[in-house]
Amino acid sequence: MTTPAGSGTGFGSVSWWGLSPAVDLQAESPPVDPDSQADTEHGTPELNVLLLGSVDGRHLLRTLTRAALWPRRRFRFYVLENNMEAVARHMLIFSLALEDPEKMGLQERSETFLEVWGNALLRPSVAAFVRTQAGRLARLVPEPDRLAEQLPWLSLGALKFRERDALEAVFRFWAGGEKGPEAFPMSRLWDSRLRHYLGSRYDARRGVSDWDLHMKLHDRGARVIHTSEFRRWRDTGVAFELRDASAYHVPNRTLASGRLLSHRGERVAARGYWGDIVTGPFVAFGIEADDETLLKTSNGQPIKTAGEITQHNVTELFREMAAWGRPRATQGDPAQVQGGADGSPEPAASVPESFTVHFLSLGSAQTLHHKSCYKGRFQLLYVACGMVHLLSPELGACVAPGGRLIVELAQFLVDLRQEQLQGFSTRVGELAQAAGFAPQPGARRSQTFARFYKAGDSAPSHKDPAVGSGTPPPEVLAPPLEATNPSPEDLTQPLEGGIPPSEPLKRPSESQASLLEALVPPTGSQTPKPESLTVSPETNSPIPNF
């Protein structure tokens, strides 16, 4: 049994890292309009951004660290994910980024972030940090007053009570509520995913890895990813090896997610790894850099690897985030803040404005426009490639006239053929047009992002008949969860009062075709082989989570 290219089983059904470089959202948003956007209380313009499926906070961190390059704005980020584990990862990442430098040095914070964010296995010291932070967050989630006091940048007010309970359960699992590595045997789960994905090619997995890297990722703009680091990640799930290889042996519980599976005719709640096993976390911070010297080549080969570039970029990111981590008491006076060792005040210009991250209820994308507080509120809408099926006229109604839309394309999804990538880009344009957007004039051409704007006289409820007839219904664009009858080694301990499933179980008859078959109808020589239309019942993650 082999898994044909284009079936998408390597993407998984849960996204843990972005598949596009981090962007500055201010650079993507409309220019500041003080007259219409000024905050009446503070006299500072606001930037309201709605992000669907940003998963790892990279765009938010990039935006905050580059805020000094732009006119002052107060940031309001509204984040919508499709599972509570992703929300928990956001909270953990921001807690780490805003950690007091006196408690945790810059290098330690950067290395901890890289391991928690992109490694399947952790060092014991990093695993201990995760347990400590998870225990703290688990205690704060059910206490709104303490949460607002200790994490003023966070708002969970839009979550339902059951979602907050699920969020608390995620943190308690991370904190070690279920003891021992068998609660989440990551190495076994990773190897099982690889075996199911590669099938008869498993013994030649190094050759498959080299082909995917050199013939796909390198050709698509990720030439800095080195063969050795890509092979290591494909084999073990460890992308960033900052210490001796033997130091990485503790399962990274932040990569666990709960799902309902059909096992021997019964519905079983299980916890496993259903994330990416083909592309890796190298794209988000590792293929672009502000320091051009990091991207130099010698004899046609990059002098730095994606891991080294990622470490440099994350370190600089966390260095700049130190200003945002200052206690709000020192930032409250608009005239001055407490200065250096001599106590002299420093100008307030060095202190950034506040920001807030609002997490929205799962599945609320199609109902936001019913609330007046969201209708026409956002100057920028970001949609990840895994959430494109949610782009609709109802969602477009939440964007202010003149607002912008940026959509992540599928450029770095290894399993997709070139014609499927082109078909995906075409469909994104159709969905954006149906939602009331038009291509952004003068936008630089990009294979990674598609950029649109909302005209002032656009009518989101109006659909062009040609576009409407070509848009698949939601049940076609929405991916199924896991295939039925998973092998026993893919099931870990049943969830007992733990993480509720984020989505309902789907029967295999409802949808087993790859998303790309829905996006790109096969014609002529592009017709896929029959096995590419059916997901193997052994596979955990049948299609990309579009």
Side-chain angles (χ1 to χ4, degrees):
M1 184 273 294
T2 61
T3 302
S7 66
T9 56
F11 310 146
S13 60
V14 181
S15 297
W16 295 125
W17 40 73
L19 295 175
S20 60
V23 298
D24 179 3
L25 298 176
Q26 281 210 80
E28 304 293 341
S29 64
V32 176
D33 183 357
D35 296 332
S36 61
Q37 299 294 339
D39 184 292
T40 56
E41 181 182 355
H42 300 90
T44 305
E46 281 193 355
L47 175 61
N48 294 289
V49 183
L50 175 60
L51 301 101
L52 273 63
S54 61
V55 302
D56 56 10
R58 68 194 185 284
H59 301 314
L60 280 62
L61 294 172
R62 173 77 170 171
T63 302
L64 294 175
T65 57
R66 296 181 65 84
L69 304 178
W70 301 90
R72 280 194 162 210
R73 296 176 97 164
R74 300 173 67 83
F75 298 105
R76 300 292 179 263
F77 303 113
Y78 294 80
V79 179
L80 194 155
E81 302 290 350
N82 61 9
N83 61 85
M84 295 311 301
E85 293 87 355
V87 174
R89 293 247 303 177
H90 271 287
M91 294 173 60
L92 180 64
I93 287 172
F94 265 87
S95 297
L96 177 59
L98 299 172
E99 184 68 72
D100 187 348
E102 295 184 359
K103 296 181 180 179
M104 198 174 194
L106 177 62
Q107 181 178 350
E108 185 182 2
R109 277 185 293 141
S110 302
E111 293 180 349
T112 299
F113 168 82
L114 290 178
E115 293 188 27
V116 172
W117 170 63
N119 282 1
L121 301 174
L122 306 176
R123 290 177 290 140
S125 59
V126 175
F129 170 82
V130 172
R131 287 194 298 270
T132 301
Q133 286 292 327
R136 170 175 171 253
L137 293 171
R139 292 188 295 271
L140 290 177
V141 167
E143 300 187 28
D145 293 338
R146 286 185 59 202
L147 184 68
E149 177 185 350
Q150 297 190 29
L151 304 177
W153 50 268
L154 176 66
S155 174
L156 302 179
L159 297 182
K160 300 175 181 178
F161 286 111
R162 61 181 175 85
E163 291 172 336
R164 296 190 197 188
D165 292 340
L167 184 60
E168 182 184 355
V170 172
F171 285 128
R172 295 206 178 280
F173 171 67
W174 292 0
E178 298 178 34
K179 303 293 184 181
E182 286 307 310
F184 184 56
M186 185 64 184
S187 295
R188 179 164 60 82
L189 293 171
W190 185 275
D191 185 69
S192 179
R193 281 287 310 280
L194 279 180
R195 289 178 181 274
H196 293 154
Y197 171 66
L198 296 173
S200 59
R201 299 177 297 168
Y202 179 80
D203 291 337
R205 57 190 179 277
R206 286 205 164 187
V208 175
S209 171
D210 291 347
W211 176 271
D212 287 345
L213 176 62
H214 293 282
M215 304 305 294
K216 296 181 180 179
L217 288 176
H218 282 186
D219 285 350
R220 298 177 188 180
R223 290 186 54 82
V224 293
I225 303 178
H226 196 271
T227 301
S228 61
E229 62 184 353
F230 192 69
R231 278 182 182 175
R232 182 186 63 237
W233 176 78
R234 277 282 189 99
D235 286 344
T236 67
V238 177
F240 308 106
E241 195 172 86
L242 309 175
R243 299 290 187 275
D244 185 81
S246 62
Y248 297 91
H249 57 81
V250 182
N252 184 356
R253 292 194 178 200
T254 72
L255 298 181
S257 58
R259 283 292 179 267
L260 275 180
L261 303 177
S262 178
H263 185 53
R264 296 177 181 176
E266 297 182 0
R267 296 175 62 176
V268 180
R271 181 183 287 117
Y273 177 76
W274 292 290
D276 171 32
I277 59 169
V278 293
T279 300
F282 305 104
V283 174
F285 295 108
I287 65 173
E288 294 182 358
D290 294 330
D291 185 354
E292 294 292 335
T293 62
L294 296 172
L295 304 177
K296 286 184 176 180
T297 60
S298 176
N299 296 324
Q301 297 298 318
I303 62 174
K304 298 290 185 181
T305 66
E308 292 170 334
I309 296 174
T310 298
Q311 187 173 5
H312 174 274
N313 286 340
V314 169
T315 300
E316 293 303 310
L317 200 72
F318 279 22
R319 190 193 310 277
E320 296 293 331
M321 283 297 295
W324 293 93
R326 296 174 187 170
R328 300 308 304 169
T330 66
Q331 301 184 24
D333 189 341
Q336 64 181 36
V337 295
Q338 194 65 28
D342 59 353
S344 59
E346 293 179 354
S350 63
V351 180
E353 288 291 340
S354 67
F355 74 95
T356 309
V357 181
H358 303 261
F359 289 104
L360 303 178
S361 177
L362 307 184
S364 62
Q366 304 303 324
T367 59
L368 288 178
H369 68 288
H370 291 310
K371 299 182 179 180
S372 59
C373 61
Y374 295 131
K375 194 167 185 178
R377 179 184 183 91
F378 303 105
Q379 292 95 50
L380 178 64
L381 169 61
Y382 171 87
V383 182
C385 61
M387 305 282 264
V388 167
H389 61 284
L390 297 178
L391 186 55
S392 65
E394 292 76 17
L395 191 62
C398 297
V399 179
R404 305 286 174 80
L405 165 67
I406 177 171
V407 181
E408 180 186 60
L409 299 179
Q411 177 73 0
F412 296 104
L413 298 183
V414 171
D415 274 357
L416 305 193
R417 304 183 186 93
Q418 197 60 43
E419 62 269 18
Q420 292 172 317
L421 295 176
Q422 184 59 45
F424 182 80
S425 299
T426 301
R427 179 50 52 87
V428 165
E430 294 174 348
L431 293 175
Q433 181 182 348
F437 295 90
Q440 184 177 327
R444 60 186 183 278
R445 295 191 62 181
S446 172
Q447 299 296 321
T448 310
F449 297 104
R451 294 173 170 87
F452 306 88
Y453 81 102
K454 185 176 181 180
D457 58 350
S458 63
S461 60
H462 171 73
K463 282 190 177 182
D464 185 281
V467 174
S469 62
T471 303
E475 61 268 21
V476 175
L477 286 174
L481 289 179
E482 328 303 343
T484 58
N485 300 326
S487 59
E489 61 267 23
D490 290 328
L491 292 176
T492 59
Q493 295 182 354
L495 298 178
E496 298 178 0
I499 308 170
S502 301
E503 303 174 20
L505 178 70
K506 287 191 177 182
R507 296 181 180 179
S509 60
E510 292 184 20
S511 176
Q512 284 192 342
S514 168
L515 173 67
L516 269 299
E517 268 70 50
L519 291 176
V520 190
T523 57
S525 61
Q526 297 180 10
T527 303
K529 297 179 181 180
E531 60 265 27
S532 69
L533 297 177
T534 304
V535 178
S536 167
E538 296 179 343
T539 305
N540 263 343
S541 311
I543 63 172
N545 188 19
F546 282 172

